[in-house]
Amino acid sequence: MTLKLIHLGNPVLRQKSRPVPEPEIKTPQFQKFLDDMIDTMHAAEGVGIAAVQIGVPKAVFIIEVKSNRRYPDEAPIPLKIFINPEVELLKIGEEMDWEGCLSVPGLRGQVPRAKSLKIRALDRAGQRVELEVSGFLARVIQHEWGHLQGRVYLDSMRGLETLTFLDEFARFWS
Ligand code: NI
């Protein structure tokens, strides 16, 4: 089932998400919620979505890159679910690249992000997962993790000079 995305200006988007109690993870209600998040991400053609973006400030985000019209150049990333994530940025430098957000429709901007990071979280079975990642996946994780802190990518831009509507992006920047 597809859920309604909330947009910048909705105060919930600025809340810090709360950890999910571990016993809750295996409940049918929570598993259904995860499936609804996946449906919502697919319907919106996103590469990631945090629970807070559908108005539920729980510390969960999911990421998946298939062939994606919004990000045609990126390699596929199989579906990943991160519950109660902890992120440690690795100090090997930053990269600047474009981001957009389903909660800030129609815009893109350049955001500096750490090139690589470690993430520890629980998966949908409640199992501990730990990954070290770099590149686009590291960028998407930092973007979604920001949502759990009540941040959006605009907060992480160095300035707003590259903020671009999608029609102008297609004309001038891609
Ligand atoms: Ni976003």
Side-chain angles (χ1 to χ4, degrees):
M1 187 175 84
T2 309
L3 303 171
K4 189 171 151 34
L5 284 156
I6 64 170
H7 293 143
L8 192 66
N10 186 319
V12 176
L13 207 59
R14 292 309 197 168
Q15 284 184 21
K16 205 166 154 36
S17 291
R18 294 180 303 275
V20 182
E22 283 192 38
E24 187 181 326
I25 294 174
K26 287 186 179 169
T27 62
Q29 293 84 346
F30 189 77
Q31 293 291 320
K32 165 83 163 66
F33 176 67
L34 293 175
D35 290 334
D36 291 346
M37 281 182 69
I38 294 166
D39 290 346
T40 305
M41 177 176 71
H42 287 165
E45 300 187 88
V47 296
I49 194 174
V52 70
Q53 291 182 273
I54 41 189
V56 179
K58 292 184 177 185
V60 186
F61 59 77
I62 63 177
I63 291 173
E64 183 183 36
V65 180
K66 292 187 188 168
S67 59
N68 190 296
R69 201 150 50 103
R70 294 178 76 235
Y71 297 92
D73 301 330
E74 301 302 336
I77 297 169
L79 179 70
K80 296 185 188 325
I81 297 179
F82 298 102
I83 302 167
N84 300 343
E86 291 167 37
V87 172
E88 181 193 339
L89 302 180
L90 301 177
K91 309 279 179 211
I92 59 157
E94 282 186 343
E95 244 162 16
M96 190 69 98
D97 209 344
W98 294 97
E99 293 184 22
C101 180
L102 298 174
S103 293
V104 189
L107 290 169
R108 284 208 177 159
Q110 287 191 355
V111 188
R113 299 287 190 188
K115 281 184 184 170
S116 94
L117 58 79
K118 262 189 202 161
I119 181 165
R120 294 179 195 85
L122 301 175
D123 66 14
R124 73 180 302 166
Q127 300 292 310
R128 269 157 228 294
V129 288
E130 186 173 337
L131 288 176
E132 192 172 318
V133 302
S134 57
F136 188 61
L137 179 55
R139 172 170 297 277
V140 179
I141 287 174
Q142 287 169 81
H143 178 115
E144 300 307 331
W145 187 53
H147 280 304
L148 304 193
Q149 325 303 314
R151 293 168 61 84
V152 295
Y153 78 89
L154 303 171
D155 302 317
S156 299
M157 290 176 69
R158 288 239 165 79
L160 296 179
E161 292 83 1
T162 62
L163 194 63
T164 308
F165 283 102
L166 281 174
D167 58 340
E168 304 294 3
F169 180 83
R171 283 179 67 203
F172 292 108
W173 299 93
S174 64

